[in-house]
Every structure is written in C-alpha cells, then in structure tokens.
Amino acid sequence: MTVTRAECVALDAADPLGRFRDLFHLPAGMIYMDGNSMGAQPLQTRARMRAIVEEEWPEHLVTGWLADNWMDSPRRCGDLVAQLVGAAVGEVVIADSTSVCLFKLLSAALQLRPDRNVILTDTANFPTDLYVAQGLVAASAGGVSLRIVPTEQIPEALTDDVAVLMLTHVDYRTAFMHDMDAVTKAAHAAGALMLWDLSHSTGAVEVDLGRAGADLAVGCGYKYLNGGPGAPAFLYIAAQHQEHMQNVIAGWLGHASPFTFEQTYAPAPGIARMVSGSPPVMAIVALQSAVEVTLDAGMSALRRKSVELTDLFIALVDELCEGTGAEIASPRNSALRGSHVAVRHEYGYGVVRAMAERGVIGDFRDPDIARFAMTPLYTSYADVFDAVAHLAAVLHAGEHLDPAHRVRNAIT
C-alpha cells in the first residue's frame, strides 16, 4: 500500500497546520470535501457575528457606520484579501457577487480598449462567467462580441481586436491551473488586458497578481475563503488602471462625495469607485473573520499541504480503485493542479450520492466528474485516506448503482 492510515495519522500529528482544524466547526461523522463549493465555518466567525447582531446593530443603530467603521468595511476587508493574491493596499475591494463584479470589470476593460471589441475566453471557463459576458454582448447591441475557443487555441485567438482575455485560473471541473504569469504575458503582448477569475484559487493556491502583471481579477468569498453561504466577492484592479476605469453600475457609495447627494455622478478616487451601494456589513464581517484565519496560516504553507493532500488522494485512488472504472481527471503534475481532485466515472453522480450516505461530502459536475476538495486549513491526511477508502468500498460493492442514486437533486 502507498501509505497506511496509521502513517496518515502520524502525518497529522506532525502537521504544522494541524492546529487550524480545531478553529473550524466540522460536523461529527462527516468527512467534508466540498470546500471548493462552500467552506466550513470558522469558530471565530460566530463571535464576530454575535457582536454585530447583539451589540453593534441594536445598540449603535445608524451611528455604527462611524462608531464601528462599517462604511469602510469593503476596503478594509479587501486589503486583507489583497495579501492572499499578491496585490497592494488599495487594489482590492469587497463588492457585490462574483457575477456582478465580473460584469463591472469586463465593462471597464472594454472602456480601456475602445479600439477593440472582443472578449476572449476558453470553453473550459466557468459557465456563469460565460453568461455574464453573453449578457454584456447582448446589452451592447452588436458593439461587443465574445470569442470562445479551446484552451490550447488561446495564443492564436489573441488577435488585435481582443480587448480582454478572461480566464478562470483553476478549472472548476478538473482543477487544471493556468500558468498565470505566462498567460498574462501573452495577453499583454497582443495588446489585450488580462482578467482572472480566482474563485477556485484564492485561499487554496499561491497567487501573485502583482508579479504576473495582471490587470483585473475577481474572486468568490464562500469557497476556500470560508466566508459563508452567499458571501460577497472581491474585485481587483491594478493601481495604474484605477483612475481610467468607470463603474458601469455607478452608485452613491462609489461617488467622490456620497453624502452631498449630488445629482451628477463623480467617481471616487481609486478602487472605491467600483463600490455601488451600501456594503453588506454583516456578510463582510463574516468574510473578514475567515480571511484572518487564512492569513494566519500563510499561503505558502497552505499550498504545500494542498499539494501533499491532493497527491495522496490521487495515489490512493490509483491503488484502491483500480479496475472500478474510476479515472483521475485532474492534472497529475501538482504545478498544474488546484486544490481539488476530479474523479471521472460513468456513474459519477451515483458515486457522489453513495459517498454522501457514508458521510463523505463531495460534489458532482456534468457529465461524469466527482469532485473532492482538499482544504488545507481543515482537511487532514486521515480524512483523505478515509475518503478514498470509502470511495473504493462504494465502487467495489456497487453502491453507486442503487436506482435511488439516479434521481438528480436540484443541487449537485
């Protein structure tokens, strides 16, 4: 055997990040491997939420915007996220959902390249990113077009009409990870701006937007950042672009002087102009409490453990699931892989359902991908061993073929 469970337990005992597992609520009897879809709850988030619900809001009411500094929460939390993605102070802000942030950034990118009208992306991109771009194209009444090509055809598709290249850094299905530096360099060589979706990257892999020279980025708050269901997203704009970008959803809080209530919009300086309405303060408080835990762990250590966990998962699947029809769909080279492992199987949905009945929570993506996330803040080596042991048991016993597992839930 590649590794025994006892050896995994020993790895956990020696793990420098092991203490972080105790900082999260993990339900008893559950092996949670869906952190790439929604992260676990940090225990300190409860205290933070109690403080705002039981003290700040009821006692301070409207004075809390100043007394508790609610108004500055988008930029304050954004500056913390910036440390996770290689950005500078003032280059990241918390604002809206990922989709709304993406719409804002794509619109602004097209404004920065008025002589170009093509948004370029690949067929592997996250579908909502494609929907957002399609909506922008429709709203442009023929002024903008969307070009979708296979990933390997991106270099030749970077023609002189491309305003912005939009890619998801880590593929949501397979966990394939783009070379951010090389792709960004290629986009710039073609005169295009580079926009990265970091939703499956932030908090799981090392990202350095500054080193890569990326122009724009967006990312989710409820996946590896553990900000809770529906947590707000963040957007990044490199400092050199900020004064030249317009917020297509201009709102009062992105105004240079919000409380003078002028009838004509004047953008606030810097990244603040990309905020539209009042910040979702309680959601930002939850997100910030979780981001602080991630910062305490450090991205280098988290990435190192992520690679070890995903390598272990793959090795165990190769050994324990041989002959079951299960195939690794993620890159085997860790330099090309994010922090989840995709297992391809003809009855992938049944596999995920049968695993859930055993207390192992992963998720399914069409047409045949069972995804299992290794979240290094709280996933243990023993978790990985036990999860693959359950996977092998399901497949060898045929539990995934139960007719009940053919009925799709609304959420997969």
Side-chain angles (χ1 to χ4, degrees):
M1 181 174 286
T2 305
V3 63
T4 66
R5 190 180 192 284
E7 289 171 325
C8 288
V9 171
L11 288 172
D12 287 326
D15 179 14
L17 294 179
R19 66 182 179 88
F20 286 92
R21 181 180 174 90
D22 294 332
L23 303 182
F24 288 84
H25 177 83
L26 299 169
M30 178 187 291
I31 300 174
Y32 191 64
M33 306 199 95
D34 202 10
N36 58 327
S37 198
M38 191 180 85
Q41 183 190 82
L43 297 181
Q44 74 173 27
T45 299
R46 300 180 185 182
R48 298 287 181 85
M49 296 306 290
R50 279 196 297 269
I52 192 169
V53 171
E54 298 176 6
E55 300 170 21
E56 295 179 15
W57 176 15
E59 297 298 328
H60 299 167
L61 293 174
V62 73
T63 66
W65 289 107
L66 288 176
D68 301 303
N69 204 16
W70 294 341
M71 191 64 75
D72 195 45
S73 59
R75 283 178 287 182
R76 186 169 62 250
C77 186
D79 285 341
L80 295 180
V81 173
Q83 298 176 49
L84 299 176
V85 296
V89 170
E91 289 186 324
V92 176
V93 71
I94 309 300
D96 317 296
S97 67
T98 310
S99 298
V100 174
C101 287
L102 183 61
F103 186 85
K104 289 179 175 181
L105 291 181
L106 283 175
S107 300
L110 288 162
Q111 296 164 13
L112 284 178
R113 293 291 185 270
D115 56 335
R116 297 171 176 235
N117 68 346
V118 174
I119 299 170
L120 174 62
T121 189
D122 67 350
T123 53
N125 206 349
F126 190 62
T128 196
D129 292 17
L130 302 181
Y131 306 157
V132 169
Q134 289 163 6
L136 182 55
V137 168
S140 75
V144 177
S145 64
L146 175 63
R147 182 180 302 159
I148 308 173
V149 301
T151 305
E152 62 274 12
Q153 293 181 17
I154 289 173
E156 61 196 72
L158 277 167
T159 50
D160 59 10
D161 55 353
V162 175
V164 57
L165 173 58
M166 170 187 68
L167 294 175
T168 296
H169 183 227
V170 172
D171 188 299
Y172 79 104
R173 288 193 182 95
T174 68
F176 166 77
M177 184 165 62
H178 287 282
D179 182 331
M180 179 177 286
D181 291 16
V183 174
T184 300
K185 182 178 180 180
H188 288 169
L193 296 169
M194 186 70 232
L195 193 166
W196 289 104
D197 185 336
L198 304 177
S199 293
H200 285 86
S201 306
T202 312
V205 302
E206 291 184 276
V207 173
D208 195 331
L209 294 168
R211 184 193 65 209
D215 303 289
L216 310 163
V218 65
C220 173
Y222 53 79
K223 298 182 188 296
Y224 291 106
L225 288 186
N226 307 302
F234 67 89
L235 60 83
Y236 158 88
I237 303 174
Q240 70 266 25
H241 296 309
Q242 292 179 8
E243 299 304 322
H244 307 289
M245 302 192 81
Q246 299 179 33
N247 185 351
V248 70
I249 310 178
W252 78 292
L253 210 56
H255 193 282
S257 180
F259 288 93
T260 58
F261 297 104
E262 300 170 10
Q263 292 189 341
T264 301
Y265 180 76
I271 195 99
R273 68 184 56 197
M274 300 308 290
V275 177
S276 297
S278 301
V281 175
M282 288 188 284
I284 294 176
V285 165
L287 175 59
Q288 181 171 326
S289 72
V291 170
E292 289 169 357
V293 176
T294 304
L295 283 170
D296 187 23
M299 283 312 307
S300 294
L302 289 170
R303 177 55 177 166
R304 194 159 48 245
K305 184 178 177 182
S306 167
V307 169
E308 292 174 358
L309 292 171
T310 51
D311 279 346
L312 174 62
F313 190 99
I314 290 170
L316 288 168
V317 170
D318 286 343
E319 182 176 349
L320 301 180
C321 300
E322 185 177 4
T324 64
E327 298 178 358
I328 298 297
S330 297
R332 290 178 178 272
N333 180 351
S334 62
L336 302 177
R337 185 179 67 238
S339 201
H340 70 272
V341 175
V343 178
R344 178 171 285 123
H345 193 279
E346 180 182 3
Y347 299 100
Y349 184 70
V351 169
V352 170
R353 289 285 304 277
M355 291 279 281
E357 289 191 353
R358 287 170 164 262
V360 182
I361 307 301
D363 66 3
F364 173 78
R365 290 295 176 263
D366 280 307
D368 55 4
I369 295 292
R371 303 190 309 174
F372 301 96
M374 280 21 88
T375 307
L377 278 169
Y378 53 79
T379 302
S380 69
Y381 295 89
D383 282 343
V384 172
F385 185 94
D386 291 343
V388 179
H390 280 296
L391 175 61
V394 163
L395 293 171
H396 287 299
E399 295 173 22
H400 59 296
L401 301 175
D402 186 326
H405 297 332
R406 297 178 185 175
V407 180
R408 290 281 194 99
N409 290 327
I411 297 175
T412 60

